[in-house]
Amino acid sequence: MLDSHTMKPKNTPPRKPMDFRQVLQQYGGIIALLVLFVFNAIFTPNFLTLQTLNINLTQVATIVIVGVGMTLVIATGGIDLSVGALMAISGALAPLIFLNSHFEGTVVGNVLSMVLPILLAGLFGLFNGFLITRFQIQPIIATLILFIAGRGIAQVMSDGKLQTFTNASFAELGQGKWLGIPIQVYLMVLVVAVAMYVLRSTVFGRQVVSVGGNERASELAGIPVRRVKLWVYAISGLLAGLAGLIVIAVNSSSDANQVGENMELDAIAAVAVGGTLLEGGKATILGTLIGALIIQLIRYTLLAQGVPDAVALVVKGLIIVGAVALQKERRN
């Protein structure tokens, strides 16, 4: 007979197997990525080659790097429309430094041309955060300012001209390889790994999610809401600056009109497809990586099958609609 202190086994209901809809909601991204991979492996010639892998990873690297910053911003309930313009600013400043007569061909010039543009983009990101936290401006409006003015600043810096350059050391950032893999892919993996650690294992990561889940409750709990928001916009700017440098290093040229064009839409799409809630309170860096890979593989698949790039844009829009609908279904 059991005495009064004996713990009785709990009558936990048996776990029901997930139906098709739940499986789709939980693992839809991974399933879509696998389907695209298998389809291309069967029907696309030369898909399973290192060259094709490098092409896709090179094209997706900057989207993922910017998407990581966008994930943190969206996790707090915000959005950053200025990332493309910040890429243009970063890309316009770097050649001005290493082509300057005082720094041309020097190690100091190359280091400064990599560090200062990233820091400047981070400062502009901090400016976004300042507008949002100090004046309570809606994030979409606050970042719209630099979305418009930022590209103008980049054009003024470059005098509106295409800047071409030959700088082997700087070009390593976009054209160099290690063990056959492009350098920017290593940077992408590093950014993803660090962001995953920060989001899962640090106080700051938990504060980011908490602020997006319930800003008022977070404030009452003593979380420095304003400081958290300032940091996520600064980080978004820093990562946009890095992506801008990679783009101009790949092309050995900087065009303020083209660098980072529509990047904000690609980053938001990767975040949405990856499963981060667009109203905040939940974030997944790995999901953003998977979302960016899905979008890239869809575009590659359509182009490989002879479908015009314009159609790929329409498909991308439909994917975003599907991802948002899936998020709404999950909430219900």
Side-chain angles (χ1 to χ4, degrees), residues 320-330:
I320 297 172
V321 172
V324 173
L326 206 61
Q327 286 190 6
K328 187 176 180 181
E329 180 77 15
R330 191 180 300 168

Side-chain angles (χ1 to χ4, degrees), residues 96-112:
L96 295 181
I97 297 173
F98 63 67
L99 291 178
N100 185 283
S101 58
H102 295 92
F103 299 118
E104 191 169 5
T106 65
V107 175
V108 174
N110 287 328
V111 171
L112 289 178

Side-chain angles (χ1 to χ4, degrees), residues 281-298:
K282 180 186 175 186
T284 162
I285 300 295
L286 186 61
T288 299
L289 172 64
I290 293 173
L293 289 172
I294 290 173
I295 292 171
Q296 170 59 26
L297 267 187
I298 288 176

